[in-house]
């Protein structure tokens, strides 16, 4: 019986490695293009790398990078993440009014370009000629009809509004509210990715909705939420250059533009901004990598090694 089985077993397969000649052609083309790019960057006088480094070391440029780029990115993302999670919870609520309000907010801010939104934010003082007041709603009507005294607790003058929203504060508010609309969709997708059985299992264990959300649902949803959130952080850092719509002077590209206009070194000034953006985004990408690895544990993020077929040996020379 065993002798017959050995005779029926298939013999050794002499497989031949698949050749990829066009792959080597593509590599050669890419290598030539890369060498041409390096040659352009090293020999073209328009770049003027020593002057680029001088621009990067200017105090106004450094302050623009720290305040207008990094600080604005951090604050806008805090508003965006907190607002996005709140909007996502409201969208998933059984309350139709709250769900509708969250949908309307998301629809509006996703429909308008950020440059236009920042332009509106910077000029929002034009809407309040007599200042922005906090107090009893429609108090002016009550005063007109019944002669009641002034029911306003605090009034901010129009001049103050223009100064406040024409600064970094206005940029943070405009970008933060816009980001909240995008983060709402990301957070909603993450919450919906968790199987309904997880909610039922948490309820069966006696957990409240709030506890099950914090201990069961959110940790699993973070696997879906973190990667696009990292992309949003990088996009927000680049979108800070849109603060020119307000306009905010304490911003990296605005300061670099001032130097370009004074020295006529256009490309060198642009390279100073490009290098700052490359450094910042590279650091953010490293942080994103470790966050994704942290929240992706246990989900098989590493690609599996394909097992060799029976009767085929894989060696240094390829399949034989």
């Amino acid at each position: 019986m065993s002798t017959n089985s050995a005779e029926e077993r298939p013999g050794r397969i002499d497989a031949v490695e698949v050749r990829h000649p066009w792959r080597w052609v593509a590599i050669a083309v890419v290598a030539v293009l890369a060498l041409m790019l390096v040659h352009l960057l090293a020999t073209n006088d328009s770049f003027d790398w020593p002057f680029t480094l001088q621009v990067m070391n200017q105090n106004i440029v450094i302050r623009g990078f720290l305040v207008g780029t990094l600080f604005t990115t951090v604050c806008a993302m805090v508003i965006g993440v907190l607002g996005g999670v709140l909007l996502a919870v409201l969208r998933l609520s059984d309350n139709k009014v709250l769900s509708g309000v969250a949908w309307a907010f998301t629809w509006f801010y996703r429909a308008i370009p950020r440059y236009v939104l920042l332009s509106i934010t910077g000029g929002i003082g034009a809407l309040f000629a007599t200042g922005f007041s906090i107090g009893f709603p429609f108090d002016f009507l009550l005063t007109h009809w019944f002669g009641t005294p002034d029911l306003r607790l605090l009034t901010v003058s129009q001049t103050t509004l223009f100064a406040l929203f024409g600064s970094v504060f206005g940029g943070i508010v405009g970008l933060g509210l816009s980001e909240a609309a995008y983060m709402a969709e990301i957070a909603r997708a993450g919450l919906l990715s968790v199987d309904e059985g997880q909610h039922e299992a948490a309820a069966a264990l006696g957990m409240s909705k709030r506890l099950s959300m914090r201990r069961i649902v959110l940790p699993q949803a973070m696997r879906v939420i973190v990667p696009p959130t990292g992309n949003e952080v990088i996009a927000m850092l680049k979108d800070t250059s849109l603060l020119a719509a307000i306009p905010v002077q304490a911003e990296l590209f605005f300061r670099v533009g001032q130097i370009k206009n004074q020295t006529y070194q256009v490309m060198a000034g642009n390279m100073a901004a490009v290098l700052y953006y490359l450094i910042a985004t590279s650091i953010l990408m490293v942080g994103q990598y470790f966050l994704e690895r942290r929240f992706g544990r246990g989900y098989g993020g590493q690609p599996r090694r394909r097992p060799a077929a029976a009767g085929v040996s894989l060696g240094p020379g390829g399949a034989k």
Side-chain angles (χ1 to χ4, degrees):
M1 189 69 182
S2 60
T3 305
N4 294 334
S5 299
E7 292 177 352
E8 295 174 356
R9 182 179 303 172
R12 186 183 181 91
I13 300 175
D14 295 326
V16 179
E17 182 182 8
V18 179
R19 308 297 181 184
H20 299 282
W22 289 109
R23 179 182 300 175
W24 291 104
V25 173
I27 292 174
V29 171
V30 171
V32 171
L33 293 176
L35 289 175
M36 294 173 65
L37 177 61
V38 171
H39 180 265
L40 175 68
L41 294 174
T43 60
N44 196 307
D45 295 334
S46 298
F47 289 107
D48 197 353
W49 296 109
F51 182 75
T52 299
L53 297 178
Q54 291 181 15
V55 174
M56 295 180 67
N57 290 327
Q58 297 297 314
N59 290 331
I60 58 173
V61 175
I62 295 174
R63 187 173 183 277
F65 175 68
L66 295 177
V67 176
T69 303
L70 294 185
F71 181 72
T72 301
T73 299
V74 172
C75 294
M77 285 307 301
V78 170
I79 296 175
V81 171
L82 295 179
V85 172
L86 176 62
L87 288 170
V89 173
L90 294 179
R91 282 288 305 276
L92 298 176
S93 172
D94 295 332
N95 190 319
K96 299 300 181 184
V97 175
L98 296 179
S99 178
V101 170
W103 177 87
F105 182 95
T106 306
W107 164 76
F108 177 79
Y109 277 96
R110 291 179 66 192
I112 308 300
R114 282 184 172 173
Y115 189 84
V116 178
L117 284 174
L118 290 175
S119 299
I120 297 173
T121 304
I124 199 170
L127 298 176
F128 305 96
T130 59
F132 178 77
S133 298
I134 300 175
F136 196 85
F138 300 104
D139 63 312
F140 57 93
L141 293 178
L142 297 177
T143 301
H144 178 69
W145 292 339
F146 306 108
T148 57
D150 187 1
L151 300 177
R152 299 179 182 182
L153 302 176
L154 175 67
T155 300
V156 181
S157 67
Q158 187 183 42
T159 304
T160 304
L161 288 176
F162 273 120
L164 187 62
F165 285 94
S167 63
V168 173
F169 175 79
I172 292 173
V173 172
L175 291 175
L177 293 179
S178 174
E179 185 60 34
Y182 292 94
M183 284 303 304
E185 294 301 296
I186 295 174
R188 189 169 67 93
L191 295 176
L192 291 176
S193 69
V194 181
D195 189 81
E196 187 64 24
Q198 298 292 318
H199 298 268
E200 298 173 355
L205 293 174
M207 291 186 177
S208 63
K209 286 188 176 181
R210 180 176 301 179
L211 182 60
S212 65
M213 177 67 70
R214 189 175 73 251
R215 302 291 299 273
I216 304 296
V217 178
L218 274 181
Q220 298 182 67
M222 290 298 290
R223 180 176 56 89
V224 178
I225 294 174
V226 167
T229 302
N231 293 332
E232 289 297 316
V233 174
I234 294 174
M236 176 63 70
L237 186 136
K238 294 183 293 184
D239 283 349
T240 54
S241 61
L242 299 176
L243 294 182
I246 289 183
V248 174
Q249 296 183 358
E251 192 274 326
L252 171 64
F253 200 65
F254 185 91
R255 292 302 191 186
V256 169
Q258 287 181 318
I259 297 177
K260 288 190 303 182
N261 295 333
Q262 294 172 359
T263 61
Y264 301 103
Q265 294 273 24
V266 177
M267 192 54 68
N270 289 333
M271 286 299 105
V274 167
L275 290 178
Y276 267 121
Y277 287 127
L278 285 177
I279 294 171
T281 53
S282 300
I283 295 173
L284 290 175
M285 290 172 68
V286 172
Q288 179 185 358
Y289 166 77
F290 284 106
L291 279 178
E292 288 184 13
R293 196 173 68 170
R294 168 71 175 78
F295 288 102
R297 291 180 303 177
Y299 287 93
Q302 299 297 328
R304 292 182 178 180
R305 185 177 182 180
R306 187 175 60 183
V312 178
S313 62
L314 299 178
K320 294 181 180 178

